[in-house]
Amino acid sequence: MKIGILKETQKGEKRIAISPNVAKLLISKGFELLIEEDAGKNSSYKNSDYCDIQVAVEKRGVVFKEADVLVKINPFDDEDLKMVHKGQVLVSQLYYKSSPELIEAIAAKGATAFSLDAIPRISRAQDMDVLSSQSNLAGYKAVILGANEMTKIFPLMMTAAGTITPSKVLIYGVGVAGLQAIATAKRLGAVVEATDIRTETKEQAESLGAKFISVENKGEESEGGYAKEASEDYAYRQKEAVNKSLFQADLVITTANIPGRKAPVLITEEQVSQMKNGAVIIDLAAAQGGNCEVSIMSKTIVKNGVKVIGTTIAPESVSTNASELFAKNIYNFLMHLTENNQFKWDLEEEITDETLIVKDGTIRKK
Amino acid sequence: MKIGILKETQKGEKRIAISPNVAKLLISKGFELLIEEDAGKNSSYKNSDYCDIQVAVEKRGVVFKEADVLVKINPFDDEDLKMVHKGQVLVSQLYYKSSPELIEAIAAKGATAFSLDAIPRISRAQDMDVLSSQSNLAGYKAVILGANEMTKIFPLMMTAAGTITPSKVLIYGVGVAGLQAIATAKRLGAVVEATDIRTETKEQAESLGAKFISVENKGEESEGGYAKEASEDYAYRQKEAVNKSLFQADLVITTANIPGRKAPVLITEEQVSQMKNGAVIIDLAAAQGGNCEVSIMSKTIVKNGVKVIGTTIAPESVSTNASELFAKNIYNFLMHLTENNQFKWDLEEEITDETLIVKDGTIRKK
Amino acid sequence: MNELIEFISSNLQITYIIILATFVGIEVIKSIPAVLHTPLMSGANALSGVVIVGAILVMLHSDPTDYVALALGFIAVVLGVLNVVGGFAVTDRMLEMFKKKK
Amino acid sequence: MNELIEFISSNLQITYIIILATFVGIEVIKSIPAVLHTPLMSGANALSGVVIVGAILVMLHSDPTDYVALALGFIAVVLGVLNVVGGFAVTDRMLEMFKKKK
Amino acid sequence: MNILLSIIYLISTITFIVGLKKLGHPETAKSGNLIASVGMGLAIVGTIFINDIEVPIIIYVLIGVAITIGSIMGWLIAMKVEMTKMPELVSLFNGFGGASAALIGVVEFIGNDNISGTKATMVATILSAVAIGSITFSGSLVAWGKLNGSLKSVIKIPQYNIINNLFVIAIISFSAYIVMSGSDSQLFLYGLLGLGIVYGVLFVLPIGGADMPVVISLLNSLTGIAAAITGVLYDNMVMLVGGILVGSAGIILTISMCKAMNRTLGSVIFGSFGATAVAEEGINKSLGTIKKTTSSDAAIMMNYATNVIIVPGYGLAVAQAQHVIHELEELLVSKGVNVKYAIHPVAGRMPGHMNVLLAESNVDYSILSEMDDINPQFANADVVLVVGANDVVNPAAHNDPASPIYGMPILDVEKAKHIVVNKRSMKAGYAGIENELFYNSKTSMLFGDAKEALTELVGELKGM
Amino acid sequence: MNILLSIIYLISTITFIVGLKKLGHPETAKSGNLIASVGMGLAIVGTIFINDIEVPIIIYVLIGVAITIGSIMGWLIAMKVEMTKMPELVSLFNGFGGASAALIGVVEFIGNDNISGTKATMVATILSAVAIGSITFSGSLVAWGKLNGSLKSVIKIPQYNIINNLFVIAIISFSAYIVMSGSDSQLFLYGLLGLGIVYGVLFVLPIGGADMPVVISLLNSLTGIAAAITGVLYDNMVMLVGGILVGSAGIILTISMCKAMNRTLGSVIFGSFGATAVAEEGINKSLGTIKKTTSSDAAIMMNYATNVIIVPGYGLAVAQAQHVIHELEELLVSKGVNVKYAIHPVAGRMPGHMNVLLAESNVDYSILSEMDDINPQFANADVVLVVGANDVVNPAAHNDPASPIYGMPILDVEKAKHIVVNKRSMKAGYAGIENELFYNSKTSMLFGDAKEALTELVGELKGM
Ligand SMILES: NC(=O)c1ccc[n+]([C@@H]2O[C@H](COP(=O)([O-])OP(=O)(O)OC[C@H]3O[C@@H](n4cnc5c(N)ncnc54)[C@H](OP(=O)(O)O)[C@@H]3O)[C@@H](O)[C@H]2O)c1
Ligand SMILES: NC(=O)c1ccc[n+]([C@@H]2O[C@H](COP(=O)([O-])OP(=O)(O)OC[C@H]3O[C@@H](n4cnc5c(N)ncnc54)[C@H](OP(=O)(O)O)[C@@H]3O)[C@@H](O)[C@H]2O)c1
Ligand SMILES: NC(=O)c1ccc[n+]([C@@H]2O[C@H](COP(=O)([O-])OP(=O)(O)OC[C@H]3O[C@@H](n4cnc5c(N)ncnc54)[C@H](O)[C@@H]3O)[C@@H](O)[C@H]2O)c1
Ligand SMILES: NC(=O)c1ccc[n+]([C@@H]2O[C@H](COP(=O)([O-])OP(=O)(O)OC[C@H]3O[C@@H](n4cnc5c(N)ncnc54)[C@H](O)[C@@H]3O)[C@@H](O)[C@H]2O)c1
C-alpha cells in the first residue's frame, strides 16, 4: 500500500504529516512511501532526509496520482480535491461537523476519508489523539510567544537596581493546552491563575501550581472530557469571578473550545479596554472564532495598549516537534486500522467507526 | 536643578531613561523634571503617567533648552549635540573608550558628561551598574527570543505520541547575561552547557544547573571582573573543547565581551556550517562586532538552516522592566553625585572619577 | 498487699533486680521498626524458653523412682528445648531478609 | 581477680543489680541532643549527690563524743547537700530555655 | 550455689540483654539472635553439668534424650516451614514454653511432700507458674490453629469478655484459696490447670486472625513472666532476669504492634479486639483483600533492595511531592541502591506532566525511563514504588476487554518482586475503575498523602 | 533494715531512673529534673527519720543545721549565678560531692576500731571511696578554676601523661598494699587522700578550657561510682543503684560529648587531650574566636523560636540546597514558627539568583522579603539562619571605610538574638574579606556543605 505525504498548503503552516523517523518506521512495516518535494522544509527536514530512507520524493501531481492513501494535517481544500481520484483514502483533520460541504465534495469524488480530529477521547486512543499532542505544544508555545511579546519579564527578581515583580498570567480553559501553558508559565516564575468550566480541572490546575478561579457551576458538565456550551448565566458569573485577575494580568492565554461549535467568547472588547496598559492576550481559539471578541486569526491587534494575538492550537512554529508527534499519532492510527498493510475496515470498532467519515463516496457521519 | 528626560532616538530602542516611579522619587527629593513627549510610549508609559506626578511634558526643543541635566540611555548623537549648550550635564552610556570623536564633540560644546557604562565594578556601585541591570534582562530575553524562534520546544516530554528530547542550549560567556540565560533556559527544562574564559565562572554556572565546558586556560585572567582579550591559542583550544556541544546545540547564546574592545569571535562561519539544521544563534555581542562571524546587528541571517540573530545586551524588548531598572540605576547614581540637589564634584571619589569623562569642556579620560 | 510488702522486705535485692530488668527490657525494645516486630517476637519467644533450665533442675532433683515427676520433667524438657532451639532457628531464618544484598 | 570472683559469689544479687543498673544508665542516656549535654551533666551531678545519704548515716551512727567523726560527717553532709540542692536548682535554670514560647 | 555456675548464669543473662538490644536493629538483629542463643546454650549446659548434688546416670541419660529429641524436632520444624507459616510456628513454640512452665509448677506442687508446710509465697509462686503456664499453652495453641486455618471461623461467644473477666477472677481467687487453705490436694491443682487451659482458649478464640500476632506477643510475654516466677522458685537468676526481660520487652513489643495497627492495648486486652478486624477496609469480594504496610517496613524493603523503580502518577502532582521523591531517590542512591523512574506516557493529566514535576526538583534526566525501555526491567526490580499512580499500572488494560482502558499500554510493575503503592485511599483514578494490582499478593499499600508518606519514608531511611 | 525505708529507697531509685530518662528529651527534661529531685528528697528525709537505732538529739540538730546551711547556700549560689557561669558551678558542686564521698571513707576508716579485722573487700571499698572521692574533689576544683578564669594559662607539664599514668598505678598499688597489710595507720589513709588530690590536679591541669565540660562529665561519673561504692559499704540500695546510674550514664554522656566535639574518649583519658584545643580553628587575633555548633543545637534553637529569618547566599546555590531549605522552612512553619527569607539584592552571583533558586523549590513569593523591608525585623528575630551568605551580611560594609564593600547596604542580621551561620569553612566570599559577624558572641557557626548541614538540621527537627 502506497502512502503519499502532501505538503501543507495552508498559509502559515510549517508542519508536515509524516516525519523522517516515522517514515522509516512505516517502511519497516512494509508500507511504500512517497512525499511531495520540499514538504518537510519548514520543519527543518531536508528532502535528502527522506530520500536517504527510501521515501520517493516526487512532484505534487505524482504523489496524488500514485498514492493509495493521502496523509495531510490540514483539511483537503478544493485544489487538493481536484487531484483526488476514486478509491483513494484521505487521512487528515477534516473538522467534519463544521465543514459539511467539504465532506460532500469528498463523497462526490467517491473517495474514502478519515478525520483525525474525530478520534474518541478514550484511553487506548490517546496515542493517536492529534488534538492532545498538538494542543500540548500549542500551550507551551503560547507562553513563549506571550513572553516574547511582553515588555516585562516573568520571574520575580530582587536586584541591586530594585525589585521586579513577577508577571501575572491568566489562563482560560484548563485543557491540554491550558495545562501545558500553566506549567510553562509557572516554570518561568510567573504567578499563574486559571479558570475552566469543568470543575474537575481545579485539582489539575493546582497540581501544576496555578491558583484556580472557581466559577460556581450550575450544571455545565462536560461530556467525554469535552466541555458543553456554557449558559448566558455562567458566562456572566465567570466575568464576575475573573475580572479582578483579568484587569491585573500581564499575559492572558485563552484555550476554551467546544468541539464542533464556535468557541465561547470569554473576553469582551469592553473587558479588554479595562486591562493593563502593555498586557498581552494570546487567543488559541481564534480559528474557532476566538475566546476574545477583539482577536482576529493570525493577526496582532493593539487595543489601547493591549496586544491581542489570534492563533490556533496548531503549533506551527514548533513544527519540528509538532510534526514528529503528529506523525507518530498517524502511525499509531494506521497501525490500528490496518493488518499487514491492508485496512481492516472493522466498522464495529469504536475508533474506526468514529473517524471514518466517508466510505467509498458514502457519508457515514454528519 | 532641572533634569530633562529625552526620548530615545536610536532605532529599535524602546526604553526610557527615567520611569514614572523613579521620576516620583526624584521629585520627592526636590529635583525638577521635564520629559520629552511620548518618550515613555514604547515602554508602555503614557504621557499622563508623567503629568500626573508633576513631570512637565514638553517638546524636544524645550527639554534641551531648559534642563540643567540631560539623561538618556544611548549615546548622544550629533542631532542631540546640536541642541546641547554650554554647562549642561549629560548623563548616558557614552562608551567613551570606543567613541573618542563623540567625546571631542561634547567637549567642544563645553558641556559636562558622565558615562554610565564606566561605573566601576565595585560592590557599593552595584546599584548604579547599568551594565549589570541591563545585561541581566538581556540574558533572560535572549532565551525567550531563542525559544520563540526555534522549531523545537525546550523541555523533555514523554507523551503518548512519543518522547520529545530536551533542547540543548549552549552559552558562551558566563557573565551577568550569561548566568541569567543559563537560569532561564534551565527553568524551561533545556539541557544547558556553558563556557567562559574566566575559570571562576565554572562554579557559578554549575550553581545554576549548567554543565561547564572548561577550556584549559594559560593565564588569561580577568581584571576587575572583566575578561581580558583571549590569545589565538586560547581561541583554538576553546573551539576544540566546545565544538562537539556546538554542533549538537539547538540554541546558542553568546554574551562574550571585552569592554572597550571589539567582541571576540567565538563562532566562525565554518563552525556554523557544521551546526544542526534548524539551530538558532543569538549573538548578544553583535553591537560590538559579534561573537559569531555571521551575525549582523539587529538582523536575522539564515546560513544553511541555522538562524543567526544579532542583537545587544540592551533589552529593548522588555522595555518596561529595563527602563525601570535603568531609571533606578540613574537615581542611585544621581543620589551618589549630588547633595541637596547640587553636584558634589568630589573628583577624588572613585565612582565620580571613573564616570566623569568631560568636565566643563575638558576631557578627563580617553 | 501485705504479701507483696513481705516479699519485698524478704527479697529486697530481688525486687531491685526485677525492677531494673523491667526497665532494661523496656528501654532496649522501645522504638524499633515494624518489620522487626515478628522476628523480635520470635526471638523473645525463644528467650522465654529459659524455663528449660527449671525443667532440667526438676529432673536433676527428682529421684529416679518418682516416675511421675520424671515423666513430667521429661516432657517439660522436650517442650522447653523445642521452644528454645526452634525459636532461635526460626528467628534466624526470618532475619535472612536483612542480609545486605551488596 | 579472686577478690572479684569472691565478691561476686558473696554478693551475687548485688552484682546483678550493678550490671542491670549500668545497662539502664546507658540505655536511658544514649542518643540525646547535644544541647542537653550540659543540663544532663548537671542533673547527673545532682544525682551523684546521693552520697549525702551515706554522710547522714555516718553522723547517725557516730557517737556524740567522737568529735572528729562528727566534724567530718558534718562537713560531708553540708557538701553533699550543696551538691544536691545546688545541682538540681542549676539544672532547672538551665532548662528554662526549653519552655515553649508559644 | 556453685560460683562457676553463677558466673555462667551472669554471662548468659548479659547475652540475653545484648541479644535483645541487637535484635532491635536490622543490621545487628541476626548477630543478636546468635548471641542470645549462645548464652542460652551456656545456661543449659551449665545447669546440667555444674551442680553440687549427686545425680544418677539414668537422669542424665533421660535429660540427654529429651534434649536431643527437642533439638532435632525444633530444628527440623524451623528449617522446613515456609516463610509465610512462621508466625503460627512461633505461636506453637510459645505454647510449648508455657506448657513446660506449667509442668514444672505441677511437679513442684506434687513433688513437694508437705506443701502445707512451705511458705505461702512459695506456694503462690508455684500456682501462678501453673496458671500462667497453662493459659499461654492453650492460648498459643488456639492462636496457632487460627493462623494455620485449622480453626477458621471467628467464634463469637455472647458477652465473651464478661465471661473472660469472670474467669480471670475465678483463677486468682481459686489459687488464693489454695494458698490460704494450705491444702495440698492435687485435685485443686489440676482444677487450676484446667481453668487456665479453658481461659486461654476463651481468651484467644473470639479474636480475628488479623490480630493474632498481637495475641502471640502478649502470650509470649506471659511465658516470660512464668519463667521469671519459676526463677524465683529456684532463686535462679538467669531464669528470673531472662524471664523479666522477655516479660517487659514482650509488653512493649505488644504495644508497639498495636500502635502499628493503630489500636490500643486496652482494646486488645478487653475484647473489643477483633471487632474491627472483621470490617477490614479494602476487602473486595472478587479481588480479595489488600495488605497494608508502614513507612518503616517500606523503608527497610528499599534499604535492602538492589534495584528500585519509582512509578510516579497524577497523585505525585496533586501532593506536590516532587521534591520529597527526589530526596528519597538521592538517599537510596547514596545507600548503593539503583533507582530509576518509570514514566508512563499518560501519567498525570497532561502530556509530560511527570517531566515538568521531576524537572522542577532537578531529577537527572538520565534516570527517567520511557515505558518501552523500562518494562523489561521490572522483572529484576526488588521493589517498585508506585506513587499516586493508578490507571497507568492497572493490569485490566491487559486482562479485561470490558475495561475502558483495555488496550492501553501500561507499566508491567506486576513483574517486580515487591510492589509498594502509595495513595490516600482505595479510590479509583481518572478512568474510575478498580485496580487489581492493589490486591496482588506482592503488593503492599502505603496509605496517605504522597508528600507526607514519602517524608516519613525518608525519615525512616535516614534512621538506617 | 526497716521495710518502710527500703520501699522509700526503692521509690527514689525509680524516680532517679525515670528522671534521667526524661532529662534526655527537651520536652520532658524539666519534669525529669523535678522528679529526680523529689526522689532525692524522699531518700534524705527517709534516711534521717526512719532508723532502728538510738540517736541523740544533738546529732539530729547537727544534721539539721548542716542540711539547712547546705540547702540555703546551694540554692542561693544556683539562683544568682548567670547562665554563662553555670558549667563551672556544676564542676564546683561536683567537687563537693566527691569530697563528701572521700570524707565518708575517711570516717569509716578511722572510726572503725579494728580495720585489720574487717573483711578485705570492705577495706578495699573504703579506700576506693577515699581515692576516687579525693580525685574528683581536686579535679573538679581545678576545672572550676580553669573555667572561671582564675586558672588561666594551659599549664603544660613535660610528659605529664606518663606522670599521670604513674600516679594511677601508684594509687592503686598503694591502696592494695594497705588492704593486704591490713594496717590501720591513719598516715597511710591521709597519704592516699593526698595522692588522690594531687592526681586530680595533675589530671585536669594540662587540659584546655574548651575540653573542660568533657572532664567535668567524666569526673561526675566518677563521683557516681564513689557514691555506689559507699552504697556497697552500707549495703544501701539507693546509693548503690543511684551511683551506678550516674556512673554509667556519665560515661555515655562523656562519650557523646566527645563525639559532638569529634574527639575520642581515648584521646580524652590519655592526655592527647587539649592538644588540639590549643590550635583551635577559626581563632583570629583581631576578631577573637568563633563558636561552633551542631545541627541538633541549631535545630533546638529554631524549634523553640518564634521568629526565624533565613538569609540565603551564593553558597545555597553552590550546594544546590534550595529544596532542603524549603523543607526546613515548611517544617518550622508546621511547628508554629514564623519563617521569612531575607533576600539581599546582590546575594549570589547574578541579579535575582536567590529568586531563581527559591522559585525552583516553590518557596511562596509572599515570604521572600527585600532588604529594606526585612532589616527592621531582624531585631525581633529569635534566630537568623545564614546559609552560604557572607559579604551580604558583613558588618564591615558599615564599619570599615577601608573595606572594598564599604558603603554597600547589608542585611542587619547582627540585631537578631541568635545567629546561626552555615558555611563550609572560614573562607571568605566574593569580596575576599574577613567577616567579623562570625566572631560575634551571638553567632554560632554550623560548618558543612549547606545541603548536608540543612538535611541534618531537618532530621533533628523532625525528631522533636
Ligand atoms: N497524561 C495525559 O495527557 C492525560 C490527559 C488526560 C487524562 N489522562 C488520564 O489520566 C490517567 C493518568 O494515570 P495516573 O496513574 O497518572 O493517575 P490516575 O490513574 O488518575 O491515579 C491517580 C491516583 O493518585 C492518587 N492520589 C491523588 N492524590 C494523591 C495524593 N495527594 N497523595 C497520594 N496519592 C494521591 C489517587 O488515589 P487516592 O485518591 O486514593 O489518593 C489516584 O488513584 C490515565 O487514565 C490517563 O488516561 C492523562
Ligand atoms: N548578585 C549579583 O548580581 C552579583 C554579581 C557579581 C558579584 N556579586 C557579589 O557576590 C557576593 C554575594 O554575596 P553572598 O553572601 O551571596 O556570597 P559570598 O559573599 O560570595 O559568600 C558565599 C559564601 O558561601 C559559602 N559557601 C560556598 N559554597 C558553599 C556550600 N556548598 N555550602 C555552604 N556554604 C558555601 C562560602 O564560604 P565557604 O567557602 O567557607 O563555604 C562563601 O563564604 C557579593 O559580594 C556581591 O557583590 C553579586
Ligand atoms: N484519552 C484521554 O483520556 C484524553 C485525551 C486527551 C484529552 N483528554 C481530556 O479532555 C479534556 C479536554 O481536552 P482539550 O484540551 O482538548 O479540550 P478543548 O480543547 O476542547 O477545550 C479546552 C478547555 O476549555 C474549556 N472550556 C470550554 N468552554 C469553556 C468556558 N466557557 N469557560 C471556561 N473554560 C471552557 C474546556 O473545559 C477545556 O478544558 C482534558 O481534560 C483532557 O485531559 C483526555
Ligand atoms: N559590583 C560587582 O561585584 C559586579 C557587578 C556586575 C558584574 N560583576 C561581575 O563582572 C563579571 C563580568 O560581568 P559582565 O557580564 O558585564 O561581563 P561582560 O559582559 O564584559 O562579558 C560577558 C562574559 O564574557 C566572558 N568572555 C570574554 N571573552 C571571552 C572569550 N574569549 N571566551 C569566553 N568567554 C569570554 C567574560 O568572562 C564575561 O564572563 C561577572 O562575573 C559579574 O558577576 C560584578
Side-chain angles (χ1 to χ4, degrees), chain E residues 71-370:
Chain E
S71 321
I72 293 172
M73 282 173 63
W75 181 263
L76 290 181
I77 302 176
M79 282 304 126
K80 62 186 229 334
V81 63
E82 66 259 33
M83 277 293 174
T84 56
K85 297 227 168 309
M86 285 185 177
E88 62 197 67
L89 188 59
V90 174
S91 165
L92 187 64
F93 287 148
N94 187 47
F96 294 161
S100 180
L103 289 177
I104 295 170
V106 174
V107 178
E108 280 304 319
F109 190 91
I110 58 180
N112 190 322
D113 311 332
N114 70 329
I115 257 302
S116 23
T118 33
K119 273 184 58 267
T121 39
M122 266 308 147
V123 184
T125 334
I126 295 177
L127 293 184
S128 35
V130 174
I132 298 179
S134 51
I135 295 172
T136 20
F137 172 64
S138 57
S140 304
L141 287 192
V142 175
W144 168 67
K146 275 182 162 293
L147 278 177
N148 71 11
S150 45
L151 268 173
K152 278 220 177 22
S153 61
V154 175
I155 295 108
K156 271 245 164 289
I157 303 147
Q159 279 82 23
Y160 71 93
N161 61 38
I162 296 175
I163 300 182
N164 283 1
N165 302 342
L166 287 179
F167 252 96
V168 180
I169 297 159
I171 293 176
I172 293 172
S173 39
F174 185 49
S175 14
Y177 166 74
I178 303 181
V179 176
M180 299 305 163
S181 68
S183 123
D184 61 356
S185 116
Q186 305 206 1
L187 219 70
F188 284 180
L189 181 71
Y190 296 123
L192 187 62
L193 202 62
L195 275 177
I197 291 178
V198 177
Y199 175 69
V201 176
L202 287 182
F203 174 58
V204 182
L205 212 47
I207 297 165
D211 294 325
M212 272 312 134
V214 181
V215 183
I216 298 175
S217 162
L218 193 61
L219 293 174
N220 177 30
S221 76
L222 275 185
T223 326
I225 291 163
I229 290 171
T230 31
V232 176
L233 208 58
Y234 302 111
D235 96 55
N236 173 304
M237 278 305 183
V238 73
M239 285 174 84
L240 176 62
V241 179
I244 296 292
L245 278 176
V246 175
S248 59
I251 295 290
I252 297 299
L253 182 56
T254 317
I255 292 172
S256 25
M257 278 173 147
C258 295
K259 282 223 193 74
M261 326 171 38
N262 45 49
R263 325 285 261 4
T264 70
L265 184 52
S267 73
V268 173
I269 293 173
F270 305 113
S272 77
F273 223 56
T276 58
V278 182
E280 262 289 16
E281 175 191 21
I283 292 192
N284 175 305
K285 46 238 74 56
S286 56
L287 298 170
T289 67
I290 58 154
K291 188 153 83 276
K292 280 194 207 139
T293 184
T294 65
S295 46
S296 58
D297 292 19
I300 292 195
M301 250 196 235
M302 297 190 186
N303 190 30
Y304 291 94
T306 313
N307 299 307
V308 170
I309 298 179
I310 301 174
V311 178
Y314 178 55
L316 186 81
V318 175
Q320 286 293 299
Q322 60 270 40
H323 301 302
V324 201
I325 194 101
H326 179 45
E327 198 185 351
L328 178 72
E329 161 227 320
E330 285 184 311
L331 196 56
L332 286 172
V333 170
S334 75
K335 288 167 172 288
V337 184
N338 312 328
V339 185
K340 287 220 177 91
Y341 291 84
I343 309 296
H344 189 283
V346 298
R349 287 294 181 272
M350 71 166 193
H353 200 161
M354 295 302 118
N355 298 116
V356 176
L357 284 175
L358 297 176
E360 185 179 296
S361 55
N362 285 332
V363 173
D364 186 1
Y365 283 164
S366 65
I367 59 172
L368 302 183
S369 316
E370 298 178 58

Side-chain angles (χ1 to χ4, degrees), chain A residues 92-145:
Chain A
S92 80
Q93 306 184 81
L94 296 172
Y95 306 105
Y96 69 97
K97 283 216 184 81
S98 39
S99 47
E101 56 293 322
L102 168 60
I103 305 303
E104 301 292 351
I106 294 174
K109 279 281 184 178
T112 297
F114 288 96
S115 184
L116 290 167
D117 52 294
I119 288 170
R121 282 266 159 103
I122 55 177
S123 292
R124 65 192 166 88
Q126 279 175 114
D127 60 1
M128 321 169 190
D129 185 339
V130 292
L131 288 183
S132 281
S133 70
Q134 301 301 296
S135 10
N136 176 40
L137 295 176
Y140 164 85
K141 194 52 196 259
V143 173
I144 298 298
L145 179 61

Side-chain angles (χ1 to χ4, degrees), chain A residues 141 148 151 153 155 320-321, chain B residues 141 148 151 153 187 320-321:
Chain A
K141 194 52 196 259
N148 194 43
T151 58
I153 68 170
T320 309
N321 296 135
Chain B
K141 196 51 197 264
N148 193 43
T151 59
I153 67 170
R187 280 185 141 174
T320 308
N321 295 137

